[in-house]
Short mmCIF file of all heavy atoms in Angstrom, two decimals:
data_model
loop_
_atom_site.label_atom_id
_atom_site.label_comp_id
_atom_site.label_asym_id
_atom_site.label_seq_id
_atom_site.Cartn_x
_atom_site.Cartn_y
_atom_site.Cartn_z
N ALA A 374 16.51 110.81 76.91
CA ALA A 374 17.83 111.33 77.28
C ALA A 374 18.77 110.18 77.62
O ALA A 374 19.94 110.19 77.25
CB ALA A 374 17.69 112.28 78.46
N GLN A 375 18.24 109.18 78.30
CA GLN A 375 19.06 108.04 78.71
C GLN A 375 19.54 107.21 77.52
O GLN A 375 20.59 106.58 77.57
CB GLN A 375 18.21 107.14 79.60
CG GLN A 375 18.93 106.71 80.82
CD GLN A 375 18.04 105.83 81.68
OE1 GLN A 375 16.91 105.46 81.33
NE2 GLN A 375 18.55 105.49 82.84
N ALA A 376 18.74 107.21 76.45
CA ALA A 376 19.05 106.34 75.31
C ALA A 376 20.14 106.91 74.42
O ALA A 376 20.68 106.20 73.58
CB ALA A 376 17.79 106.10 74.49
N PHE A 377 20.46 108.20 74.57
CA PHE A 377 21.47 108.82 73.71
C PHE A 377 22.69 109.26 74.52
O PHE A 377 22.57 109.64 75.68
CB PHE A 377 20.87 110.05 73.00
CG PHE A 377 19.87 109.69 71.93
CD1 PHE A 377 18.53 109.49 72.25
CD2 PHE A 377 20.27 109.53 70.61
CE1 PHE A 377 17.61 109.14 71.27
CE2 PHE A 377 19.36 109.18 69.63
CZ PHE A 377 18.02 108.99 69.95
N THR A 378 23.86 109.22 73.88
CA THR A 378 25.07 109.75 74.52
C THR A 378 24.99 111.28 74.50
O THR A 378 24.17 111.86 73.77
CB THR A 378 26.33 109.33 73.75
OG1 THR A 378 26.25 109.91 72.44
CG2 THR A 378 26.45 107.82 73.63
N ALA A 379 25.88 111.92 75.24
CA ALA A 379 25.88 113.38 75.30
C ALA A 379 26.07 113.99 73.91
O ALA A 379 25.54 115.05 73.59
CB ALA A 379 26.97 113.86 76.24
N ASP A 380 26.84 113.28 73.04
CA ASP A 380 27.04 113.83 71.70
C ASP A 380 26.08 113.25 70.65
O ASP A 380 26.35 113.30 69.45
CB ASP A 380 28.52 113.69 71.26
CG ASP A 380 28.99 112.23 71.26
OD1 ASP A 380 28.29 111.37 71.83
OD2 ASP A 380 30.07 111.95 70.69
N GLY A 381 24.96 112.71 71.14
CA GLY A 381 23.86 112.41 70.22
C GLY A 381 23.84 111.07 69.53
O GLY A 381 23.10 110.88 68.57
N TRP A 382 24.62 110.10 70.00
CA TRP A 382 24.57 108.77 69.41
C TRP A 382 23.59 107.90 70.20
O TRP A 382 23.54 107.99 71.43
CB TRP A 382 25.96 108.12 69.41
CG TRP A 382 26.94 108.80 68.51
CD1 TRP A 382 27.41 110.08 68.63
CD2 TRP A 382 27.57 108.24 67.35
NE1 TRP A 382 28.29 110.35 67.62
CE2 TRP A 382 28.42 109.24 66.82
CE3 TRP A 382 27.51 107.00 66.72
CZ2 TRP A 382 29.19 109.03 65.68
CZ3 TRP A 382 28.28 106.79 65.58
CH2 TRP A 382 29.11 107.80 65.07
N PHE A 383 22.86 107.05 69.49
CA PHE A 383 21.90 106.15 70.15
C PHE A 383 22.62 104.94 70.73
O PHE A 383 23.44 104.31 70.04
CB PHE A 383 20.83 105.70 69.16
CG PHE A 383 19.80 104.79 69.79
CD1 PHE A 383 18.76 105.32 70.54
CD2 PHE A 383 19.90 103.41 69.66
CE1 PHE A 383 17.83 104.50 71.15
CE2 PHE A 383 18.97 102.57 70.27
CZ PHE A 383 17.93 103.12 71.01
N ARG A 384 22.34 104.65 71.98
CA ARG A 384 22.98 103.52 72.66
C ARG A 384 22.11 102.27 72.51
O ARG A 384 21.00 102.21 73.05
CB ARG A 384 23.17 103.86 74.13
CG ARG A 384 23.94 105.17 74.32
CD ARG A 384 23.95 105.60 75.75
NE ARG A 384 24.40 104.48 76.57
CZ ARG A 384 24.33 104.45 77.88
NH1 ARG A 384 23.81 105.47 78.54
NH2 ARG A 384 24.76 103.42 78.54
N THR A 385 22.63 101.27 71.81
CA THR A 385 21.80 100.10 71.49
C THR A 385 21.64 99.13 72.65
O THR A 385 20.73 98.32 72.65
CB THR A 385 22.42 99.30 70.32
OG1 THR A 385 23.72 98.86 70.74
CG2 THR A 385 22.52 100.13 69.05
N GLY A 386 22.61 99.16 73.61
CA GLY A 386 22.57 98.15 74.67
C GLY A 386 23.15 96.82 74.22
O GLY A 386 23.15 95.84 74.96
N ASP A 387 23.66 96.78 72.97
CA ASP A 387 24.33 95.57 72.48
C ASP A 387 25.84 95.80 72.58
O ASP A 387 26.32 96.91 72.38
CB ASP A 387 23.96 95.31 71.01
CG ASP A 387 22.50 94.94 70.87
OD1 ASP A 387 22.07 93.99 71.55
OD2 ASP A 387 21.78 95.61 70.09
N LEU A 388 26.56 94.73 72.88
CA LEU A 388 28.01 94.83 72.98
C LEU A 388 28.63 94.20 71.74
O LEU A 388 28.22 93.11 71.32
CB LEU A 388 28.51 94.10 74.23
CG LEU A 388 27.85 94.57 75.54
CD1 LEU A 388 28.33 93.73 76.72
CD2 LEU A 388 28.13 96.06 75.78
N GLY A 389 29.60 94.92 71.17
CA GLY A 389 30.18 94.41 69.93
C GLY A 389 31.68 94.57 69.87
O GLY A 389 32.28 95.22 70.72
#
Side-chain angles (χ1 to χ4, degrees):
Q375 226 180 5
F377 289 87
T378 63
D380 58 346
W382 293 64
F383 181 80
R384 305 172 51 191
T385 60
D387 293 306
L388 305 176

